[in-house]
Amino acid sequence: MDADSRKIPTHEITYARLRDMILFGHLEPGAAVTIQGLIADLGAGMTPVREAIRRLTAEGALEPQGNRRVAVPGMTVAVLEQVAFARLTIEPKLAEMAAAHLTPALIAQLQALDNPVDLAIRAGDIPGYLQANHAFHFCLYEASGAPVLVDMARSMWLRFGPSLRVVCARFGSDALPDRHSEALAAMRAGDAIGLRDAIERDIAQGVEQVELALAQGGI
């Protein structure tokens, strides 16, 4: 196989970039953007951008606005209830399943991924926090050996991430969810239930912040 045949297709790169723009809050919920604007932002052609929009719309991360515009859906109480239920059901289970596959090397990798989370919280770096937090969680989840559940978790993060970005900006970095130290302690102790519970508390903390923001006037 030559180098060119191993290159990642342009449409996959474009999809990943647009997904990350949504996931890490670069597109604010409810604010419509034009397809031409996305083409410029992504540095991609019309066809891969349209394909990325189509895929992300099917995943519930974007919604058409008409007049060649799309937007990240705003969060509602009803949607949050569903997303919270899914996250609090799936992700703690993934953490518990991952516990059986953790090695000292993987725990060290997770610790290294958590260090930027702590730095971002102290610096008030919300985009940095969102990216580092995502990296930590999915490094852990991917160790579970449960790819179907991991895909479901990724889908829920796409629906939740933009709202968390708004909440973080509103309430400041002190409110950012972070129970990773508890999770890491459970990993080192070989405590699968403790790890599951720490991840559950971490998720619940983020959900509570979004609930508070909705109660104060929406997202």
Side-chain angles (χ1 to χ4, degrees):
M1 183 181 293
D2 60 31
D4 287 342
S5 63
R6 293 195 299 267
K7 288 174 61 178
I8 300 173
T10 300
H11 70 274
E12 289 293 342
I13 294 172
T14 303
Y15 167 80
R17 287 176 177 168
L18 183 53
R19 178 199 62 206
D20 287 354
M21 288 174 67
I22 297 166
L23 188 59
F24 303 130
H26 299 296
L27 298 178
E28 187 170 338
V33 294
T34 65
I35 295 174
Q36 288 296 334
L38 289 175
I39 288 170
D41 290 342
L42 295 165
M46 175 70 78
T47 298
V49 170
R50 283 189 175 277
E51 172 63 12
I53 290 171
R54 184 195 66 77
R55 289 173 63 181
L56 288 160
T57 299
E59 292 173 25
L62 286 173
E63 57 185 14
Q65 297 291 296
N67 197 26
R68 297 167 63 85
R69 293 173 181 267
V70 293
V72 173
M75 183 60 76
T76 66
V77 171
V79 171
L80 179 61
E81 287 177 353
Q82 296 171 65
V83 172
F85 172 80
R87 291 197 63 197
L88 288 165
T89 302
I90 294 167
E91 293 177 50
K93 182 62 176 178
L94 282 169
E96 183 181 353
M97 294 171 71
H101 305 286
L102 294 175
T103 63
L106 183 51
I107 294 171
Q109 181 182 354
L110 285 158
Q111 178 65 72
L113 289 170
D114 186 50
N115 292 336
V117 175
D118 296 333
L119 290 172
I121 290 174
R122 288 197 293 271
D125 177 6
I126 294 168
Y129 162 80
L130 292 171
Q131 293 183 50
N133 185 54
H134 180 273
F136 175 89
H137 278 264
F138 281 92
C139 180
L140 174 62
Y141 298 160
E142 285 166 4
S144 68
V148 173
L149 294 180
V150 172
D151 283 348
M152 293 171 70
R154 289 189 188 282
S155 176
M156 291 304 100
W157 276 60
L158 268 174
R159 293 175 181 264
F160 190 78
S163 297
L164 186 59
R165 171 69 174 84
V166 173
V167 167
C168 292
R170 187 178 299 179
F171 296 140
S173 60
D174 289 343
L176 296 176
D178 183 22
R179 299 295 184 127
H180 297 176
S181 60
E182 297 170 24
L184 285 160
M187 292 179 210
R188 296 188 181 102
D191 181 359
I193 302 305
L195 175 56
R196 179 197 68 192
D197 292 348
I199 293 299
E200 183 175 354
R201 287 191 292 270
D202 186 77
I203 296 164
Q205 187 177 349
V207 170
E208 288 166 5
Q209 292 299 318
V210 176
E211 286 175 339
L212 180 60
L214 286 170
Q216 291 183 351
I219 298 175

